[in-house]
């Protein structure tokens, strides 16, 4: 079934979940951004290099999976999706995250491994509900100082980066699991 047909079925049935995994898409149909009822959107393992700023229309989205594409950046509008709980951006070509990622106040997990990230924005430390940073196999050299109450954070998966020293604030978090090397 072609993606346009799946989107039409989703619209007609008012479905809250749309799985467009492995559809060999190089761009997304504009009709996708009209599915404002979506709670979960899986666009993993396609050939996407960008996502439209129209993603801002999907205000009910709680789970977004764009793993395994060729994304070099995420749309700025993504930071307006404040209902997001899970963000899966692994296995892309991302070199940075938007500085407003701290707006995703309900985010619990962010999976950003196997990208080309060199730095994490300071605002990531404002995500109070975030349980896990999963950014292994990137090009990170430093980590931001923790400036806000990030009490839920329990795991840092940062191995296979270029980090040589942890900020003092991170060492005081009471983490259960730290993987750096």
């Amino acid at each position: 079934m072609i993606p346009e047909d799946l989107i039409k079925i989703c619209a007609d049935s008012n479905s809250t979940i749309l799985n467009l995994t492995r559809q060999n898409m190089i761009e997304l149909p504009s009709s996708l951004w009209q599915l404002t009822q979506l709670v979960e959107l899986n666009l993993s393992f396609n050939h996407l290099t960008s996502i439209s700023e129209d993603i801002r229309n999907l205000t009910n989205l709680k789970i977004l999976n764009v793993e395994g594409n060729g994304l070099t950046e995420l749309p700025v509008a993504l930071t307006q999706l404040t209902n997001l709980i899970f963000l899966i951006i692994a296995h892309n070509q991302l070199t940075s995250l938007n500085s407003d990622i701290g707006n995703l106040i309900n985010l619990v997990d962010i999976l950003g491994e196997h990208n080309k990230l060199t730095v994490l924005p300071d605002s990531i430390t404002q995500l109070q509900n975030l349980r896990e940073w999963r950014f292994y196999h990137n090009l990170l050299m430093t980590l931001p100082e923790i400036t806000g109450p990030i009490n839920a954070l329990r795991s840092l998966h940062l191995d296979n980066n270029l980090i040589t020293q942890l900020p003092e604030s991170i060492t005081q978090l009471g983490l259960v699991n730290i993987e750096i090397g």
Side-chain angles (χ1 to χ4, degrees):
M1 194 170 288
I2 61 174
E4 290 85 0
D5 292 340
L6 291 170
I7 291 170
K8 179 156 179 25
I9 290 168
C10 185
D12 291 347
S13 65
N14 207 29
S15 177
T16 59
I17 298 172
L18 180 58
N19 186 346
L20 294 173
T21 299
R22 299 184 193 280
Q23 296 294 312
N24 293 314
M25 294 184 295
I26 56 172
E27 61 183 35
L28 296 169
S30 60
S31 57
L32 175 62
W33 312 122
Q34 305 310 310
L35 301 177
T36 58
Q37 78 279 6
L38 284 181
V39 172
E40 181 177 341
L41 177 59
N42 190 338
L43 301 171
S44 62
F45 301 105
N46 281 288
H47 305 286
L48 303 172
T49 56
S50 66
I51 296 175
S52 170
E53 293 291 336
D54 290 334
I55 196 170
R56 75 174 50 88
N57 297 339
L58 306 184
T59 57
N60 293 310
L61 211 57
K62 292 185 179 192
I63 300 170
L64 176 61
N65 186 346
V66 294
E67 179 177 8
N69 282 285
L71 299 173
T72 56
E73 64 182 5
L74 297 173
V76 174
L78 180 71
T79 64
Q80 297 172 20
L81 302 179
T82 57
N83 288 318
L84 267 184
I85 296 171
F86 295 104
L87 178 58
I88 305 164
I89 55 175
H91 296 273
N92 279 287
Q93 302 296 314
L94 299 172
T95 57
S96 65
L97 298 178
N98 188 285
S99 62
D100 290 333
I101 197 162
N103 293 345
L104 301 177
I105 57 173
N106 290 305
L107 202 61
V108 172
D109 285 314
I110 183 167
L111 287 67
E113 65 268 18
H114 291 277
N115 277 290
K116 296 181 179 181
L117 298 170
T118 58
V119 67
L120 296 177
D122 291 342
S123 67
I124 200 168
T125 67
Q126 298 168 12
L127 299 172
Q128 297 180 30
N129 297 314
L130 202 59
R131 296 181 304 199
E132 181 173 33
W133 290 3
R134 192 178 292 184
F135 291 105
Y136 56 86
H137 288 279
N138 275 283
L139 302 171
L140 296 172
M141 292 185 277
T142 62
L143 296 176
E145 286 286 347
I146 305 296
T147 56
I150 190 167
N151 302 329
L153 189 61
R154 291 295 171 252
S155 293
L156 293 178
H157 300 276
L158 300 166
D159 47 318
N160 292 299
N161 277 287
L162 305 172
I163 299 167
T164 57
Q165 185 175 359
L166 289 176
E168 183 67 28
S169 57
I170 287 180
T171 63
Q172 299 173 6
L173 285 175
L175 297 168
V176 174
N177 185 21
I178 302 176
E179 296 174 15
I180 299 178

